[in-house]
């Protein structure tokens, strides 16, 4: 069925199965609104004041409103250009320096998810928040790990101060740290992204103290899926010798060696490694559990056929699209790292069916930043280390306990592995100029076609 209805007490949920209907939903940004959902949960998750929530939730389908304006502020600094380049450079610098230290330690037994999560959290937050990055302190990092799993209690407003006490205390602790960060003007030394987030709040007369609370949502945007996504990327590559061999051979083509120093350019990893990029997209296809959601703001006849009633919810589960045999073929349930590599004479799969970063007005604006981090971290680990499970067997972790806020799930159990450097060579990353945007989702393909037309 292209669409079906789940009748709930006092409401309806419409579940979209058809790829063509997804495109129709995405084009109706006012009748089928995501900003209305954002407005409903802002007060609950981050705990903004009534006055701030009134600003955020005012006229959510109007072009001049806070939530409709937000993408116009952040998209320029997260699109290919100097601002994104600066964030990528800082992130990769942090990753490279950290991996240098792990190389010095020799063979080390680690918890894979715990290790990846820490490495990417520091790299991501350093690149966004600058030299006064609050996440440099383990108490802030641990507070985030306490708060994140309890977010759904806040979303549903199920008395989190009673039923999620640890999460509530962690949230309030982080708010105090963010208040100090913004009060001291530390954001002025951070990325253009954090400066822009302050600017939109200033433009809408939201006090700096409230910006501290809103930044909890900013942290969620840059961390919640990047950290587990990197774990799954490393897992899929190292648990399959064929994937590891193909990806490593592709990466080595871009390595230059001079006197014991190996250098790889960022542009080679992001633009000249189709198997690595395909592996990344296949990881998202296989592991993504997210669902794009909209609120029906008025009765709407979708695609001229299906009546959606005002006040109902529209859901577009990624898993439905990602497991459709008619789209992906008979091996739909198999991890095929070559699935997204373009083959001569073979028609490209409809890019709308790939929902790794959402789509339409809710397309993740930070997808190129997150993708670059995940690809570059994976590349450097592949080139510099061997990873072997302590018990010599890779076992796919279950994800039944993963928080609902994660579109890429957190594993229920960690994997003990031995991290062993493959050589004592020095590794560097070069930056040959502005990094171009990668073709990841349908909107990227359209942008590339338009660019070629000019």
């Amino acid at each position: 069925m292209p669409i079906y209805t789940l009748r709930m007490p006092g409401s309806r949920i419409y579940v979209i199965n058809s790829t063509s209907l997804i495109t129709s939903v995405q084009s109706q940004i006012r009748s089928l609104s995501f900003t209305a959902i954002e407005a409903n949960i802002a007060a609950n998750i981050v705990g903004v004041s009534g006055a701030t929530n009134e600003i955020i939730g005012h006229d959510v389908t109007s072009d001049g409103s806070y939530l409709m304006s937000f993408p116009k502020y952040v998209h320029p600094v997260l699109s290919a250009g100097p601002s994104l380049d600066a964030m990528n450079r800082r992130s990769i610098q942090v990753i490279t320096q950290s991996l240098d230290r792990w190389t010095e330690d020799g063979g080390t037994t680690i918890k894979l998810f715990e290790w990846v999560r820490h490495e990417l959290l520091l790299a991501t937050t350093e690149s966004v928040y600058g030299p006064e990055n609050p996440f440099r302190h383990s108490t802030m990092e641990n507070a985030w790990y306490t708060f994140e799993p309890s977010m759904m209690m806040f979303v549903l407003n199920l008395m989190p101060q009673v039923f999620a006490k640890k999460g509530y205390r962690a949230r309030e602790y982080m708010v105090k740290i963010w208040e100090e960060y913004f009060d001291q003007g530390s954001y002025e030394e951070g990325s253009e992204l954090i400066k822009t987030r302050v600017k939109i709040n200033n433009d809408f007369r939201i006090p700096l103290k409230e910006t501290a609370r809103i930044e909890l949502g900013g942290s969620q945007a840059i961390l919640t899926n990047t950290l587990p996504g990197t774990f799954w990327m490393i897992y899929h590559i190292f648990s399959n010798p064929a994937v590891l061999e193909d990806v490593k051979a592709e990466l080595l083509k871009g390595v230059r060696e001079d006197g014991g120093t190996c250098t790889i350019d960022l542009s080679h990893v992001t633009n000249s490694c189709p198997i690595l990029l395909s592996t990344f997209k296949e990881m998202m296809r296989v592991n993504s559990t997210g669902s794009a959601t909209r609120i029906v703001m008025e009765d709407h006849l979708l695609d001229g056929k299906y009546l959606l009633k005002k006040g109902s919810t529209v859901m577009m589960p990624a898993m439905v699209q990602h497991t459709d045999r008619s789209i992906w073929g008979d091996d739909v349930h198999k991890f095929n790292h070559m699935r997204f590599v373009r083959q001569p004479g073979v028609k490209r799969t409809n890019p709308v069916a790939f929902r790794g970063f959402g789509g339409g007005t809710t397309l993740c604006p930070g997808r190129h930043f997150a993708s670059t981090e995940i690809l570059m971290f994976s590349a450097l680990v592949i080139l510099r280390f061997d990873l072997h499970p302590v018990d010599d067997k890779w076992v796919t972790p279950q994800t039944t306990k993963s928080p609902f806020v994660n579109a890429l799930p957190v594993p229920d159990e960690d994997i003990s592995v031995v991290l062993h450097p493959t050589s004592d060579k020095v590794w560097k990353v070069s930056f040959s100029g502005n990094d171009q945007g990668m073709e990841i989702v349908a909107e990227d393909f359209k942008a590339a076609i338009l660019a070629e037309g000019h």
Side-chain angles (χ1 to χ4, degrees), residues 43 62 67 83 91 97 145 212 298 326 334 388-389 414:
S62 170
L67 289 172
S83 299
S91 172
Q97 291 173 346
Y145 298 150
E298 59 188 11
S326 67
K334 175 185 176 183
H388 297 288
D414 215 330

Side-chain angles (χ1 to χ4, degrees), residues 52 55-56 66 200-202 204-208 210-211 214:
T52 298
I55 295 171
I56 293 174
Y66 178 91
I200 184 175
N201 290 341
N202 288 344
F204 279 83
R205 294 188 171 87
I206 292 176
L208 206 57
E210 291 291 280
T211 293
I214 294 172

Side-chain angles (χ1 to χ4, degrees), residues 206-441:
I206 292 176
L208 206 57
K209 191 170 185 177
E210 291 291 280
T211 293
R213 284 194 171 273
I214 294 172
E215 193 50 40
L216 290 170
S219 299
Q220 190 269 339
I222 62 174
L223 297 175
T224 294
N225 293 311
T226 297
L227 309 191
T230 310
F231 163 79
W232 288 113
M233 184 71 168
I234 294 294
Y235 170 81
H236 285 297
I237 291 172
F238 281 90
S239 65
N240 188 321
V243 179
L244 179 59
E245 181 181 358
D246 288 348
V247 171
K248 191 169 186 176
E250 189 177 59
L251 288 168
L252 284 170
K253 293 178 181 178
V255 175
R256 307 186 309 275
E257 186 170 358
D258 182 15
T261 297
C262 297
T263 304
I264 188 166
D265 197 85
L266 171 62
S267 64
H268 175 76
V269 175
T270 57
N271 298 320
S272 300
C273 291
I275 299 176
L276 178 67
L277 181 59
S278 175
T279 303
F280 169 65
K281 295 177 70 172
E282 180 71 346
M283 175 277 293
M284 299 193 78
R285 187 192 71 85
V286 168
N287 292 104
S288 179
T289 57
S291 180
T293 308
R294 304 288 190 276
I295 295 295
V296 183
M297 304 300 289
E298 59 188 11
D299 285 0
H300 179 75
L301 194 63
L302 182 65
D303 203 33
K305 302 176 185 177
Y306 308 103
L307 179 61
L308 309 182
K309 299 295 291 183
K310 179 180 178 180
S312 300
T313 302
V314 178
M315 300 186 71
M316 296 166 282
M319 192 176 295
V320 172
Q321 298 301 312
H322 292 171
T323 57
D324 190 330
R325 192 179 299 272
S326 67
I327 296 172
W328 305 105
D330 292 336
D331 67 343
V332 64
H333 297 296
K334 175 185 176 183
F335 187 92
N336 177 3
H337 68 295
M338 301 292 288
R339 189 181 302 277
F340 292 92
V341 176
R342 293 298 305 274
Q343 303 292 346
V346 178
K347 185 179 179 181
R348 174 189 286 162
T349 301
N350 184 353
V352 176
F354 176 71
R355 307 294 300 167
F357 286 101
T361 56
T362 60
L363 176 66
C364 175
R367 65 191 180 281
H368 291 295
F369 175 52
S371 300
T372 298
E373 279 196 299
I374 296 174
L375 291 172
M376 201 67 221
F377 179 82
S378 301
L380 291 172
V381 173
I382 292 165
L383 291 169
R384 301 184 65 175
F385 297 93
D386 282 330
L387 277 175
H388 297 288
V390 170
D391 58 4
D392 294 324
K393 184 179 181 181
W394 288 99
V395 178
T396 305
Q398 297 296 309
T399 58
T400 56
K401 301 175 184 177
S402 180
F404 287 108
V405 296
N406 294 86
L408 289 167
V410 172
D412 291 348
E413 302 88 21
D414 215 330
I415 305 173
S416 294
V417 301
V418 177
L419 178 73
H420 196 279
T422 54
S423 74
D424 58 359
K425 296 176 181 177
V426 176
W427 280 87
K428 294 183 178 181
V429 177
S430 61
F431 304 90
S432 61
N434 287 350
D435 187 37
Q436 299 175 355
M438 290 172 279
E439 294 182 357
I440 301 170
V441 297

